[in-house]
Amino acid sequence: PPSPSQEPFPMPPEAFSRPVPLQDVTSAVVYGLQREVVGVAIGEQDEARRGALREWLATLSALLPAEPNRQQMGRLEAMCAHERAISPERWEELLGEIEAPLLPTGGPAGGIAWAACRGASADARGYPCGLWLLFHTLLAQARTDAQGVAALRAIRSYVRFFFGCQGCARHFLAMSNLEADPLDGVRTASGARLWLWRAHSLDAEH
């Protein structure tokens, strides 16, 4: 019988028919680093959060579209590798040490501006929409099964430790633990992409 990460859960048609604006993807990265991660203090004994941040930066440096963007995330990843504790103030310092703009390719002036994710007001859609686009884009960029599975797990850790909407994070983590379709059961890059599409569909129904 097919595994939960294979048929009978085909990739939805819209996965192939809707171009993803790079502006929304880069805006989601910048928003997350400047407004979400900055609010989380990482202590010396906080191995889980520190590991989650490193995994997220490693994923961005490997899979984010455009080589200049990947290089910038690689620099930030290397800087964080030497940090045992990262306070909000220290995180702002680290970001400030990266040559501006933080993401030089595809990013809007000012770093954050939504295109496809623009809502009717400043508080509508925006970051949550952009974050889903970023997640899908990262998994689409994965070239090996190991890369895809690692990226999906890095996404889960980012949501667990850094996503500011706690109710949204709890819902995502609950989906990742569904007995019929656990995230930890994913073994391939295509399976990771399919799992995220199913999670996105369930989230839209929530």
Side-chain angles (χ1 to χ4, degrees), residues 10-20 133 136 197-198 200-201 204:
M11 191 77 84
E14 59 267 26
F16 303 101
S17 61
R18 297 179 183 175
V20 175
L133 290 181
H136 288 298
W197 274 108
R198 295 195 295 276
H200 195 169
S201 296

Side-chain angles (χ1 to χ4, degrees), residues 111-196:
I112 302 170
W114 310 108
C117 288
R118 182 183 303 162
S121 69
D123 298 324
R125 302 185 77 212
Y127 180 58
C129 168
L131 196 59
W132 276 116
L133 290 181
L134 170 60
F135 291 166
H136 288 298
T137 299
L138 293 174
L139 293 181
Q141 296 281 105
R143 296 175 294 278
T144 67
D145 290 337
Q147 204 171 41
V149 171
L152 183 61
R153 294 182 179 182
I155 286 169
R156 175 176 58 185
S157 294
Y158 178 84
V159 170
R160 172 180 285 131
F161 291 113
F162 302 111
F163 191 30
C165 175
Q166 296 184 0
C168 307
R170 284 193 297 270
H171 182 58
F172 185 92
L173 296 174
M175 290 190 293
S176 76
N177 290 321
L178 287 175
E179 184 176 352
D181 191 19
L183 184 150
D184 286 329
V186 173
R187 295 289 181 268
T188 65
S190 61
R193 289 188 280 268
L194 287 168
W195 188 93
L196 191 69

Side-chain angles (χ1 to χ4, degrees), residues 44-155:
E44 289 191 11
Q45 305 304 315
D46 200 346
E47 294 287 348
R49 278 189 175 82
R50 186 163 54 252
L53 178 59
R54 289 176 180 171
E55 289 172 8
W56 182 239
L57 293 176
T59 298
L60 294 175
S61 67
L63 300 178
L64 195 62
E67 180 62 23
N69 294 339
R70 293 192 292 273
Q71 290 177 353
Q72 287 284 74
M73 293 299 96
R75 293 185 185 99
L76 188 56
E77 178 191 5
M79 292 162 61
C80 289
H82 302 290
E83 301 288 330
R84 289 293 301 167
I86 305 177
S87 66
E89 294 77 18
R90 179 56 182 155
W91 179 248
E92 289 185 333
E93 290 176 358
L94 290 171
L95 290 179
E97 292 174 17
I98 299 292
E99 183 179 354
L102 185 58
L103 296 180
T105 301
I112 302 170
W114 310 108
C117 288
R118 182 183 303 162
S121 69
D123 298 324
R125 302 185 77 212
Y127 180 58
C129 168
L131 196 59
W132 276 116
L133 290 181
L134 170 60
F135 291 166
H136 288 298
T137 299
L138 293 174
L139 293 181
Q141 296 281 105
R143 296 175 294 278
T144 67
D145 290 337
Q147 204 171 41
V149 171
L152 183 61
R153 294 182 179 182
I155 286 169

